[in-house]
C-alpha cells in the first residue's frame, strides 16, 4: 500500500475585502442624486412645468438603470478587459491593401455600445430642454467612472454637435442624425469594410495638434487647397466647399471614428474642416494612421498620428475662422474633462470607502480608526465638490441658458477644467494608498485610475493654456466675470471664511485688470485657483449639508487643512461626510 497523502492547508483566506460588485453606482452616489434632482430634467431648479415631476422620476429611473449596469460584475470585467487588451492598428489587410483600421476587443465595443445606447453622447442635443445636459452629464459620469477610455469618442461626438450646426445644410442634414443616433456600429463601411454609405450612426473625433505647435494650433502647417466647384470629386454637391488636406497630425483622438474635425491652413488662414473616413460614393478617404500612441493610461482608447495626403474635407464656418469654429467643440470637451475627473474621483472614493468598511487592522475596522476615516472623508469632500461643480456647469449649457448663464459658463468652464482636473491625480494617489499594496496592483481598479487621471489635466489644454484663457476672458469679456461673481456671491454671508476668500478673489481680479500683461500672466494660475475654490465653496455652502460644507470651506478656503489629504478641522463631522460616501 502506498503512503497516505496528507493535504496541508497552510492558511484560510480572511480579512480580504469582498468584490465591489452588484452596486447601483447612481443611487449610492448621494451628491450626484441630489444634483440631478436639483438641476436635471424636471429638477427643482430646472423646470416648473406640470410634467416636471414625471420627467424627474423617469430620469432618475434611467440613471439608476445605468448605475446598476456599470456597477455589475460583467461591466467591470469588460472595463478591465478593454484596458488589458488594448486596440491594435491594422494598417493593411492580408492582401496588402491599405485599410488604416483600429481593432478593438469585443469588451470595448460592449462598453461604448452601452454608453451610446444610453445617450451618454448626444441625448441632450437629441431631446433638448431644461436639465437635459445635466441628465446627459450624469450618464456620462457613470460610464466614465468605471471605464474612462471609451469616454473620449463619446465626449467628442457630444461636443461636435454645435460645430456641425455651422456646416452647409447638406452636410449637416446628412450627418446630424447619425450623431444623434443611439445605435452603435463599429465598422467604418466603404471599401474594405462593407456597407458602403448605409451606416446610420456615427462617432466624431478631432485632429488639431501638430508636432511643431502642440497647443499653439496657429502654428499648424497642414495645408487645405480649395477644389473647383462644390463636391467636385466626391459626389456631395450640397456639402459645401470641398478641399484637399495635406499634412501630419501629431495627436488624433479615437482614429476609428467615422469623421473628424480638422484644423488646416487655407488661403485666408487657419480653418476648420469636416473629414469623413468614408466618402459619399462609398470609397475610403485618405486617412493614413501612422502609429498608435503608447500612453501612460487611457489604454482602452486609441490615440494616433495620422497623415493626410490630398484628403477630402469640407469647410465648416468661414476660412480663417477655424479656431472660432472648433472652439464650440473644445468648450464642451473641456466640460467633459471636468465631468470625467469628477467620475474618477467618485470611483476613487467609492473603492476606498468600500475597502475601509471591510478591512480590519490592529484590532478594528479601518473605517473606525480616526486617522483613516479622516483621509477617506477628506477624499469624499473633494469628490462632492467636483460633482457639484460638474453638474452646475452642465446646467449652464442647456438651451434655455440666458445671456448671464452663457457668460458664467464661459469663465466657469475654464476655471473648473483647470482646478478639478488638476486635483484628480493627487486624489487618485491618496485613494490608492487607502488600499495599501492591493491598490498598487493591476488587479484592482485604482491602479488604472491613477494612470488615467493626469490625462484630463492635459487634454483640451494643460494648466498654463487654461490659466491664460482665463486672462483672455478678463481682458475681453468682463461680463463673464460679472456673471461668475453673481453666481458665486449667492453664498455670501454663509461663512466668514468663504467671505474672506471671495473678497480676496475679487481683489485679485481688480489688481490684474490694471496690471501689465507679463505681471498678469505670472499670477494667472493664482487667479484661476482662487476662482475655482470660491466657486466650489459657494456650491458646497448652498447645496451640501452644513457639516460637509463647513469642513470643505475651512480646509480649502481657510487655513485649517493640510498639504495632504486627511487633515481636517477639529470637530469636523467625519461620520456625516462618510455617510454620503
Amino acid at each position: 500500500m502506498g503512503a497516505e497523502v496528507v493535504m496541508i492547508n497552510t492558511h484560510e483566506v480572511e480579512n480580504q475585502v469582498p468584490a465591489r460588485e452588484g452596486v447601483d453606482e447612481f443611487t449610492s452616489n448621494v451628491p450626484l442624486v441630489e444634483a440631478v434632482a436639483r438641476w436635471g430634467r424636471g429638477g427643482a431648479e430646472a423646470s416648473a412645468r406640470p410634467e416636471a415631476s414625471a420627467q424627474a422620476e423617469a430620469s432618475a429611473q434611467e440613471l439608476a438603470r445605468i448605475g446598476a449596469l456599470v456597477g455589475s460584475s460583467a461591466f467591470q470585467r469588460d472595463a478591465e478587459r478593454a484596458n488589458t487588451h488594448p486596440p491594435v492598428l491594422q494598417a493593411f489587410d492580408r492582401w496588402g491593401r491599405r485599410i488604416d483600421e483600429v481593432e478593438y476587443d469585443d469588451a470595448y465595443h460592449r462598453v461604448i455600445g452601452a454608453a451610446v445606447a444610453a445617450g451618454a453622447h448626444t441625448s441632450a442635443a437629441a431631446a433638448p430642454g431644461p436639465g437635459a445636459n445635466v441628465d446627459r452629464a450624469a450618464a456620462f459620469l457613470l460610464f466614465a467612472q468605471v471605464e474612462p477610455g471609451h469616454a473620449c469618442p463619446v465626449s467628442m461626438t457630444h461636443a461636435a454637435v454645435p460645430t456641425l450646426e455651422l456646416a452647409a445644410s447638406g452636410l449637416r442634414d446628412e450627418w446630424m442624425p447619425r450623431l444623434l443616433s443611439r445605435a452603435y456600429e463599429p465598422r467604418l463601411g466603404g471599401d474594405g469594410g462593407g456597407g458602403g454609405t448605409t451606416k446610420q450612426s456615427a462617432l466624431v473625433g478631432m485632429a488639431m495638434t501638430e508636432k511643431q505647435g502642440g497647443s499653439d494650433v496657429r502654428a499648424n502647417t497642414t495645408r487645405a487647397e480649395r477644389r473647383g466647384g462644390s463636391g467636385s470629386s466626391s459626389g456631395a454637391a450640397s456639402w459645401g466647399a470641398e478641399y484637399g488636406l495635406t499634412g501630419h497630425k501629431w495627436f488624433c483622438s479615437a482614429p476609428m471614428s467615422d469623421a473628424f474635425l480638422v484644423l488646416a491652413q487655407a488661403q485666408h488662414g487657419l480653418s476648420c474642416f469636416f473629414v469623413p473616413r468614408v466618402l459619399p460614393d462609398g470609397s475610403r478617404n485618405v486617412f493614413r494612421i501612422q502609429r498608435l500612441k503608447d500612453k501612460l493610461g487611457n489604454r482602452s482608447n486609441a490615440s494616433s498620428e495620422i497623415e493626410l495626403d490630398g484628403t477630402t474635407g469640407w469647410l465648416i464656418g468661414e476660412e480663417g475662422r477655424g479656431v472660432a469654429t472648433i472652439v464650440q467643440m473644445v468648450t464642451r470637451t473641456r466640460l467633459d474633462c471636468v465631468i470625467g475627473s469628477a467620475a474618477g474621483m467618485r470611483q476613487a472614493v467609492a473603492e476606498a470607502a468600500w475597502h475601509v468598511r471591510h478591512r480590519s487592522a490592529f484590532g478594528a475596522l479601518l473605517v473606525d480608526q480616526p486617522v483613516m476615516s479622516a483621509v477617506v472623508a477628506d477624499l469624499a469632500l473633494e469628490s462632492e465638490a467636483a460633482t457639484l461643480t460638474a453638474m452646475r456647469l452642465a446646467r449652464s449649457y442647456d438651451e434655455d441658458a440666458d445671456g448671464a448663464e452663457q457668460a458664467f459658463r464661459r469663465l466657469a468652464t475654464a476655471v473648473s477644467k483647470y482646478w478639478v482636473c488638476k486635483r484628480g491625480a493627487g486624489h487618485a494617489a491618496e485613494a490608492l494608498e487607502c488600499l495599501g499594496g492591493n491598490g498598487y496592483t493591476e488587479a484592482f481598479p485604482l491602479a488604472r485610475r491613477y494612470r488615467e487621471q493626469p490625462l484630463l489635466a492635459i487634454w483640451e489644454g494643460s494648466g498654463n493654456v487654461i490659466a491664460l484663457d482665463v486672462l483672455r476672458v478678463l481682458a475681453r469679456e468682463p461680463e463673464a466675470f460679472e456673471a461668475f461673481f453673481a453666481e458665486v456671491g449667492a453664498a455670501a454671508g454663509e461663512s466668514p471664511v468663504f467671505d474672506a476668500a471671495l473678497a480676496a478673489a475679487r481683489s485679485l481680479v481688480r489688481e490684474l485688470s490694471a496690471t501689465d500683461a507679463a505681471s498678469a500672466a505670472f499670477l494667472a494660475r493664482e487667479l484661476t485657483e482662487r476662482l475655482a475654490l470660491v466657486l466650489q465653496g459657494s456650491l458646497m455652502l448652498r447645496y451640501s449639508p452644513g457639516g460637509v460644507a463647513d469642513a470643505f470651506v475651512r480646509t480649502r478656503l481657510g487655513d485649517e487643512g493640510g498639504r495632504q489629504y486627511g487633515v481636517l478641522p477639529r470637530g469636523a463631522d467625519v461620520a456625516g461626510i462618510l455617510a454620503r460616501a
Side-chain angles (χ1 to χ4, degrees), residues 356-439:
V356 301
R357 286 192 169 106
H358 292 89
R359 177 80 167 179
S360 296
F362 310 113
L365 283 172
L366 291 176
V367 72
D368 294 329
Q369 301 188 33
V371 68
M372 178 61 82
S373 61
V375 170
V376 180
D378 210 356
L379 291 169
L381 289 177
E382 195 76 35
S383 176
E384 179 157 346
T387 299
L388 274 177
T389 303
M391 294 301 112
R392 174 62 185 90
L393 196 56
R395 177 68 183 98
S396 70
Y397 280 81
D398 282 329
E399 66 168 3
D400 66 328
D402 58 21
E405 275 289 280
Q406 293 177 33
F408 164 74
R409 80 186 186 207
R410 170 67 182 96
L411 178 58
T413 301
V415 163
S416 303
K417 199 282 183 189
Y418 174 91
W419 181 250
V420 174
C421 297
K422 279 196 170 298
R423 296 289 285 178
H427 187 273
E430 191 68 53
L432 181 153
E433 189 176 324
C434 292
L435 275 65
N438 283 352

Side-chain angles (χ1 to χ4, degrees), residues 22-87:
V23 177
D24 180 346
E25 298 287 6
F26 175 65
T27 57
S28 63
N29 187 344
V30 177
L32 181 61
V33 171
E34 293 174 351
V36 170
R38 181 182 308 113
W39 293 310
R41 197 186 297 274
E45 293 186 19
S47 178
R49 294 174 296 173
E51 65 273 21
S53 59
Q55 285 186 329
E57 178 63 25
S59 295
Q61 289 178 356
E62 172 60 12
L63 290 171
R65 185 196 67 78
I66 296 171
L69 170 65
V70 301
S72 68
S73 59
F75 192 91
Q76 291 180 33
R77 283 196 300 272
D78 277 346
E80 180 179 5
R81 185 173 178 86
N83 282 272
T84 55
H85 294 73

Side-chain angles (χ1 to χ4, degrees), residues 150-347:
H150 82 285
C152 172
V154 169
S155 171
M156 290 189 297
T157 304
H158 151 71
V161 169
T163 297
L164 192 59
E165 291 283 3
L166 304 175
S169 60
L171 176 59
R172 183 178 64 248
D173 294 346
E174 175 79 19
W175 281 86
M176 190 67 79
R178 298 181 188 179
L179 270 65
L180 301 183
S181 171
R182 293 199 181 190
Y184 173 64
E185 304 170 68
R187 295 181 67 84
L188 283 174
D191 294 345
T197 59
T198 62
K199 191 171 179 181
Q200 299 300 305
S201 65
L203 297 176
V204 176
M206 69 167 77
M208 294 194 296
T209 60
E210 299 182 5
K211 296 175 185 176
Q212 73 286 346
S215 296
D216 183 9
V217 294
R218 295 191 184 278
N220 283 3
T221 60
T222 296
R223 305 187 314 276
E225 297 181 358
R226 178 74 182 268
R227 291 172 175 166
S230 294
S232 59
S233 65
S234 64
S238 64
W239 286 19
E242 182 182 314
Y243 291 70
L245 277 57
T246 301
H248 186 96
K249 292 295 180 179
W250 189 235
F251 276 95
C252 174
S253 300
M256 81 298 180
S257 299
D258 301 281
F260 298 84
L261 296 181
V262 177
L263 291 180
Q265 298 286 358
Q267 180 181 359
H268 298 293
L270 195 64
S271 306
C272 180
F273 298 91
F274 182 85
V275 176
R277 288 295 310 272
V278 177
L279 296 171
D281 62 6
S283 64
R284 289 284 182 93
N285 207 353
V286 179
F287 193 91
R288 295 180 183 143
I289 304 175
Q290 301 297 78
R291 64 172 174 171
L292 301 186
K293 299 288 192 179
D294 187 7
K295 296 174 292 185
L296 169 69
N298 201 242
R299 306 291 290 184
S300 70
N301 175 52
S303 300
S304 65
E305 296 171 36
I306 62 167
E307 198 80 22
L308 307 175
D309 187 6
T311 303
T312 301
W314 282 265
L315 180 68
I316 297 183
E318 302 174 20
E319 267 199 20
R321 297 276 298 164
V323 174
T325 301
I326 207 169
V327 76
Q328 299 290 331
M329 184 178 192
V330 172
T331 298
R332 284 164 176 78
T333 47
R334 284 181 176 177
L335 164 66
D336 281 356
C337 285
V338 179
I339 300 168
S341 294
M345 289 184 185
R346 173 56 192 170
Q347 182 185 43

